Amino acid sequence: MMDRRHFLGSASAATLAAAVGGLASSSHANAGEYRALVVVYLNGGNDGHNCLVPTDAAYGDYQRGRQHLALPRNSLLALPGTTAGHSFGLHPALGPMLPLYTQGRLSFILNVGPLIEPATPQQVLDNAVQVPPFLMSHSDQTAIAQGWTVDQDTSGWAGRALELLPSRLRNPLAAVTADTNRTLVLGKRSPVSFIAPDGGTWWGIGDLRRPQEIGAQSLARMAQWQFSNAYEAEYARTYGYAFNDGTYIARARDAAVMPTNDFGSDDYLARGLRNLAGLMPVFKSQGLKRQVFLQSWGGFDTHTNQRGADVNTQDAQLSILAKALAGFDAANRASGLDNNVVTLVMTEFGRTLRPGSGGGSEHAWGNHWWMLGGPVAGGQAVGTLPNLTLGGPDDGDGGKNGRLVPAFSSDQVGATLMQWMGLDPTSFVEVFPWLANFPQKTLPLLRA
């Protein structure tokens, strides 16, 4: 089982950079072809039930199921009109998202999650369909939602798709993570790059922006070391990749104009998204064509104290998230990347409708994800709102706790996004093997 774990968790900063490096030189190309997918991954299983709430007759089911977790109807931020057959309101902490929705830049994907094949709740209860294993496990569901297919290959859907893009769209520094989490962007044969959210340009003794100085020169010589021992040779090779990556990113950061608009706080997520917003125009100008960035953040495993003002509650974290995302979107528009960037907000699973015993909620399955950006067909919720009755027709839990069976597969979302990035539909099943079981491979999430 260890071969599918994130082995980098205990790595030092230098070892991490060596392990996920991989940039060579980049040729210039038509900068107008630049497209980037930014995935903000909410660690722990964000409770989507309290992010997007029906405000019509379905609110009664929501309130009865959620009990003390239910948001008062008059506290919700009303979304204009109706969508998916319902009127909705946002969690009050998501106020910065409301203008993006009304401007048609934000959409919600209703009841999505990992699926091996289409499944109804009754089929799940009857054990009549194959479902993903380890459904309530954080680590396994994180890996599966990001593309692990429960075999020896630990790659993810974005990493595999990037490797299959047409040659004119492939470039170095394509698969990028901000920390040790990397399943989504890990390919079968290509390395993953690392961009520190805090924007450092120093590697120990050397400032990578200044290759003429002795510290950077010493690091460069280390990247050229040769070894006969296979282990040492592999370390030197990955170190070399990482050094090239780090040098390229440091110089890009030196050329970047960091956005000065409001990202809400100096939180880790805000710093990471501000950093990306400053770097992407540089990457575009340098001729890079396609990039996927993975930014993991938060602690949404809210078994206890889910509501309230404490920094660890969902309420408090959603406030930080919304301000950072709104700042990121505004910065992308200001830099001319309005139609070049799509941001996906995803997580490993949803939470139970029924509260847990500690003032929070338990692990579940289907959940609501979000997308924002100029290419997004926003101002809508895509799909069908599930019935929010405990033990109702969409509850796949024998204990009637409100564990929704997804109506959409996470792979359908991924295929839609990677097709926008340039993946040929004939390669869908190679990237998303379980899509072979789905007649509908993509979803109407993006503008034509």
Side-chain angles (χ1 to χ4, degrees):
M1 298 293 284
M2 286 300 293
D3 61 327
R4 59 181 170 84
R5 299 295 181 189
H6 299 296
F7 70 94
L8 296 173
S10 60
S12 67
T15 306
L16 167 64
V20 298
L23 180 72
S25 61
S26 172
S27 60
H28 287 269
N30 182 357
E33 294 187 49
Y34 180 78
R35 290 186 177 183
L37 170 63
V38 177
V39 175
V40 176
Y41 188 85
L42 304 181
N43 297 315
N46 176 53
D47 189 340
H49 295 306
N50 272 16
C51 293
L52 183 70
V53 181
T55 55
D56 51 15
Y59 179 84
D61 294 333
Y62 159 83
Q63 187 178 46
R64 285 186 289 273
R66 301 249 77 185
Q67 302 169 33
H68 60 270
L69 289 182
L71 297 164
R73 195 189 324 230
N74 62 7
S75 75
L76 298 170
L77 305 176
L79 297 180
T82 60
T83 180
H86 292 271
S87 59
F88 289 96
L90 295 180
H91 189 294
L94 297 179
M97 297 287 94
L98 183 58
L100 302 185
Y101 185 90
T102 59
Q103 295 163 13
R105 305 182 59 78
L106 169 69
S107 68
F108 293 88
I109 313 167
L110 297 176
N111 198 17
V112 59
L115 287 169
I116 293 177
E117 59 182 321
T120 67
Q122 193 59 52
Q123 288 173 321
V124 171
L125 291 170
D126 294 341
N127 294 316
V129 290
Q130 189 176 7
V131 302
F134 320 118
L135 274 177
M136 305 303 152
S137 162
H138 288 292
S139 59
D140 294 293
Q141 291 311 300
T142 292
I144 291 172
Q146 295 186 17
W148 178 53
T149 54
V150 200
D151 57 20
Q152 294 300 307
D153 175 12
T154 59
S155 64
W157 53 258
R160 293 192 295 267
L162 287 169
E163 292 177 340
L164 294 177
L165 294 183
S167 58
R168 69 181 183 85
L169 299 180
R170 293 199 297 267
N171 50 254
L173 205 73
V176 184
T177 185
D179 53 36
T180 59
N181 298 309
R182 61 178 193 148
T183 297
L184 178 81
V185 291
L186 179 64
K188 291 186 175 183
R189 54 188 176 275
S190 54
V192 175
S193 300
F194 171 73
I195 292 182
D198 293 322
T201 61
W202 283 77
W203 265 31
I205 61 171
D207 185 346
L208 299 184
R209 298 169 299 175
R210 297 176 173 81
Q212 73 280 4
E213 294 185 356
I214 187 170
Q217 290 179 0
S218 297
L219 294 171
R221 284 193 295 271
M222 291 170 61
Q224 304 301 317
W225 284 351
Q226 303 291 316
F227 295 95
S228 58
N229 177 278
Y231 178 85
E232 293 172 329
E234 178 61 19
Y235 183 89
R237 185 183 71 85
T238 55
Y239 175 87
Y241 280 142
F243 177 78
N244 289 338
D245 269 4
T247 301
Y248 187 97
I249 294 165
R251 294 177 183 175
R253 187 172 284 117
D254 213 24
V257 177
M258 289 296 159
T260 58
N261 60 292
D262 186 14
F263 280 66
S265 70
D266 192 39
D267 177 83
Y268 175 86
L269 176 64
R271 294 196 302 272
L273 292 180
R274 187 188 298 276
N275 188 43
L276 276 186
L279 286 172
M280 287 191 297
V282 179
F283 295 148
K284 176 184 175 183
S285 71
Q286 293 174 338
L288 300 189
K289 298 290 190 65
R290 298 291 186 268
Q291 293 184 291
V292 179
F293 300 96
L294 174 61
Q295 177 88 48
S296 301
W297 178 79
F300 288 89
D301 192 21
T302 49
H303 291 279
T304 59
N305 302 322
Q306 182 170 312
R307 303 291 320 283
D310 184 82
V311 294
N312 295 317
T313 64
Q314 186 199 29
D315 297 352
Q317 291 183 88
L318 288 180
S319 178
I320 295 171
L321 174 64
K323 292 172 184 175
L325 289 174
F328 184 61
D329 184 73
N332 290 335
R333 281 187 277 178
S335 68
L337 292 182
D338 186 27
N339 293 311
N340 304 92
V341 181
V342 170
T343 302
L344 171 68
V345 182
M346 63 180 289
T347 190
E348 61 259 43
F349 43 59
R351 315 295 296 190
T352 54
L353 272 167
R354 188 192 301 276
S357 59
S361 52
E362 307 303 326
H363 300 179
W365 191 359
N367 202 359
H368 307 324
W369 293 0
W370 326 344
M371 287 177 56
L372 63 146
V376 173
Q380 64 171 335
V382 179
T384 301
L385 179 71
N387 186 293
L388 300 179
T389 305
L390 295 175
D394 291 311
D395 190 349
D397 180 61
K400 300 182 180 181
N401 289 301
R403 287 189 169 95
L404 303 180
V405 176
F408 289 145
S409 165
S410 52
D411 284 349
Q412 290 173 300
V413 177
T416 303
L417 291 168
M418 297 318 295
Q419 184 178 28
W420 175 74
M421 294 283 280
L423 181 67
D424 193 296
T426 59
S427 298
F428 279 168
V429 174
E430 186 173 353
V431 175
F432 307 93
W434 293 342
L435 274 187
N437 302 320
F438 291 79
Q440 181 182 356
K441 306 294 194 250
T442 60
L443 303 175
L445 305 176
L446 302 170
R447 300 186 189 280

